[in-house]
Amino acid sequence: MTFPERDSLAPLSIEPTCRIEFGPGRLGRLPELIAATGHPRAFVVTDRGLRTAGVVDRLLKVLNVAGMEYAVHDEISPNPSTGDVDAGAARARRFGRAAVVALGGGSVLDAAKGIALLVGNPDARAADADALWEAADGLPLVAVPTTSGTGAETNGFGVIEDTAACRKVYLGHASVKPGVALLDPELTLGLPAHVTAATGIDALVHAIESLASRGASPVSAAHATQAVAMVGRALPAAYRDGSDLDARAELMMGAHLAGQALTLSGLGLVHGIGHALTAHTGTPHGVALAAVLEEVMEFSAPDAAGAYETTARALRLDPPSDGDWARAAIGAVREISGAVDVKRPLRELRTTRQLLPSVAAGAVTDPVTRNAPRQPTEPQVLELLRSAY
Ligand SMILES: NC(=O)c1ccc[n+]([C@@H]2O[C@H](COP(=O)([O-])OP(=O)(O)OC[C@H]3O[C@@H](n4cnc5c(N)ncnc54)[C@H](O)[C@@H]3O)[C@@H](O)[C@H]2O)c1
Ligand SMILES: [Fe+2]
């Protein structure tokens, strides 16, 4: 098997993403990781759900023991908005020079990047996102993910809802790519099963779309293949028993590797459709992806044979008697998605038939779709959406 097939030996230049600190109990290292940024104090960005779950208190205990000065901002909403980022930045500016510690899922990590960037640019607002890519550096960021899904700790941008302009903006800068990813699976033990399922499927899709991406390279494929193996094995186990620390750890590392992979390669049509579905219906990211994953794989299979064979082998499937690895991979993905009860027909996700053309239009114009192995037309996406309805 030779994979990836496209330009596999094309010249490459890849920067390492971030320092990884992984393992149960690693949260205890947080004070020294903050100090290593050159700032002796921390501005902690998080959300109310993590407060309620007791995760914020665990982190503050570690900072208190170390005698570190900090402030906490816990007002980030799911799918954060420019308003969330501006409000957080106003508080962070008042607190002054500090490392930003992002404690949460993708929503918090994304918002924290914007907050860190705005502190370095005192006159800017989150809605200036397009101009901020060339702006001054932001504060250094330490990422502490509490979901195993987005891989947002591997890149320097966030997807933020510009509520006034009714559009998603990419708010980011090289300086706010987290310098450290502190991956402590103990922090995910209390994640509710349905969130484990949705975020875990997000990670699986990252790995599969990365393998099949037009931007795939030997380096991204190495990360993605390992991610498929780890997420495929650990997700059903972590869903069945949320207190299984081994499964939580494997899922967390798998999701991180999938993040590394997608940051190098880009993604594809599952995300193109997923973004449009979430924008129109508010469906959580992972649930939107799961709704169309197998359908997109079937559509893409003619141009993704090598990627799907790699997926199937990473999932430890026996060679299919008819040699059809793509069909085997799609069957295995259906099984995982069924085991964590995350796939819903579109009609159950506040999607009407009248809405489908807008979703199809959004999916083909989303830049993420440009890396899809088989470029879809709008009528093809519409047909695919109807089959998932
Ligand atoms: N920057 C990127 O590369 C990137 C990639 C994909 C998605 N995203 C963004 O990430 C966001 C989705 O992130 P997500 O899927 O991680 O969900 P999320 O951050 O929105 O969190 C979902 C819910 O789970 C709760 N939660 C999180 N961790 C918990 C824990 N350990 N225990 C108990 N409750 C917990 C939160 O309080 C929240 O209510 C979206 O805004 C999406 O646009 C960013
Ligand atoms: Fe995703």
Side-chain angles (χ1 to χ4, degrees), residues 47 49-50 53 79 105-107 110 146-147 150 152 155 157 187 191 199:
D47 69 26
L50 286 150
N79 298 317
S107 298
D110 279 8
T146 63
T147 61
T150 67
N155 59 53
F157 68 90
L187 300 179
L191 197 63
T199 50

Side-chain angles (χ1 to χ4, degrees), residues 47-50 53 55 77-80 104-108 110 113 146-155 157-159 168 187-192 195 198-199 202 206 262-263 271 275 285-286:
D47 69 26
R48 292 272 164 78
L50 286 150
V55 180
S77 28
N79 298 317
S107 298
V108 164
D110 279 8
K113 293 170 194 171
T146 63
T147 61
S148 296
T150 67
E153 69 277 11
T154 61
N155 59 53
F157 68 90
V159 190
K168 290 261 184 199
L187 300 179
T188 64
L189 288 172
L191 197 63
V195 186
T199 50
D202 186 23
H206 292 163
L262 84 88
T263 295
H271 272 77
H275 291 164
H285 181 62

Side-chain angles (χ1 to χ4, degrees), residues 192-282:
H194 70 280
V195 186
T196 302
T199 50
I201 284 289
D202 186 23
L204 184 67
V205 176
H206 292 163
I208 296 173
E209 290 217 284
S210 175
L211 282 170
S213 166
R214 290 174 176 238
S217 70
V219 183
S220 67
H223 285 110
T225 305
Q226 183 66 14
V228 169
M230 296 180 92
V231 175
R233 183 168 52 197
L235 174 56
Y239 176 81
R240 266 196 314 274
D241 176 6
S243 65
D244 179 342
L245 186 57
D246 289 342
R248 291 291 195 186
E250 186 170 23
L251 186 55
M252 182 164 246
M253 178 52 87
H256 175 73
L257 292 174
Q260 298 263 12
L262 84 88
T263 295
L264 294 170
S265 66
L267 292 165
L269 179 60
V270 184
H271 272 77
I273 295 175
H275 291 164
L277 270 175
T278 298
H280 285 287
T281 65

